[in-house]
Amino acid sequence: MEELIKVVDKNGLIIAFILVGLLTWLTDLFSKKILDSKIPGSAIAIFLALVFGYLGGVWAEGENGLADLKWFKGLALLGGSMFRDFAIVATAIGASFVLIRKSGILGLISLVLGIAVFFLAGVGLAWAWGYRDAISLCTIGAGACTYIVGPVTGGALGASSEVIALSIGTGVVKTIAVTILTPIFAKKIGLDSPSAAMAFGGIMGTSSGVAAGLAATDPKLVPYGAVTATFYTGLGCLVCPSLFYLLLESLF
Amino acid sequence: MIKGLALLSCAFVLGMWTGELLGTWLGIRANVGGVGFAMLFLILTKEYFVKKGWWKVEMEFGMEFWNKLYIPVVIAMAASLNVKSAISSGPLAIFAGIVPVILAFVVFRFLIKSSKVS
């Protein structure tokens, strides 16, 4: 037993392959046999992974969900930003440049629209909650964009650590919400073509959420959504602590 | 196989570098569109290679593996998100995380409809 623990401890990434493979195998089987393939296995797997992430957070009381438990620490490496970004870039191999160029303008419009919608809605909710100072409002609004824009904005403006934590929490909830809701609403909102996926990536912005949501909807759409979503966080970090903050400051 | 993987990695590093440079140039502490640039570099390189006749099926295999690994990576990512603190950071975080998403779905539907009309 001691030897096994040593092997598991040393080979976290390999253990992560086993864990994810096992989960995918089980959810695929469940999707096929019990749900008649109505919900894709990957969507169930991603949802279950979120549940495990929650449980991991409860058990280990760390910041990386299930990956804080010793046996599962390889998940943080496999699901970390390096592998995530690398795999997203690799999906581009199935994308067509002609299609991306054709929908470039739509993607650009959706980016600007997306940041404005999330920021305004976030500020509105924070205001309704009783926050009145421009710095806190701006930080929470930025958190509603992504969990990176929030702390970057809060840090730049000098927001309190409590507000910054809140903005990160908001951003993570957004990622989870997009992941779960995208496959549910995809058909209703007309998310069925590469150009629609580009607009979707621009509006939703959270790279992880968009990529996970599209993966559960239709893996072919992933590269198109990712190519616009990747600009969202950068654009958000650019306008939230500057332009948007100045606008808020003049109002409050 | 490794040639394809090396090509993918080159596109990745160049894209990330471009994103960092753009971030520095704009004066913000973030990578601006690194993944997007990397994807464009990869697509353009592939088209150039195909045109020149240098592209081999074997090269695509090295990239295809990572392309397919994408969903497992997302699953691992979901399991290592800080779900607990997101939920326990208070009702405002949950509202401000979910309500704008629903709003954005409505905006998206409107945008897609209007772009199809025009």
Side-chain angles (χ1 to χ4, degrees), chain A residues 154-179:
Chain A
L157 299 176
S160 69
S161 64
E162 179 212 347
V163 169
I164 291 181
L166 183 63
S167 78
I168 298 174
T170 305
V172 178
V173 172
K174 177 193 173 180
T175 299
I176 298 167
V178 173
T179 305

Side-chain angles (χ1 to χ4, degrees), chain B residues 52-96:
Chain B
K52 287 270 175 185
W54 296 341
W55 191 260
K56 292 192 187 77
V57 185
E58 206 194 322
M59 287 166 90
E60 196 150 339
F61 178 74
M63 300 182 188
E64 195 62 34
F65 175 79
W66 285 94
N67 182 2
K68 290 263 158 55
L69 199 64
Y70 168 70
I71 290 175
V73 164
V74 168
I75 293 171
M77 179 189 78
S80 46
L81 277 179
N82 198 355
V83 185
K84 185 188 160 229
S85 92
I87 291 176
S88 57
S89 57
L92 175 56
I94 297 184
F95 271 100

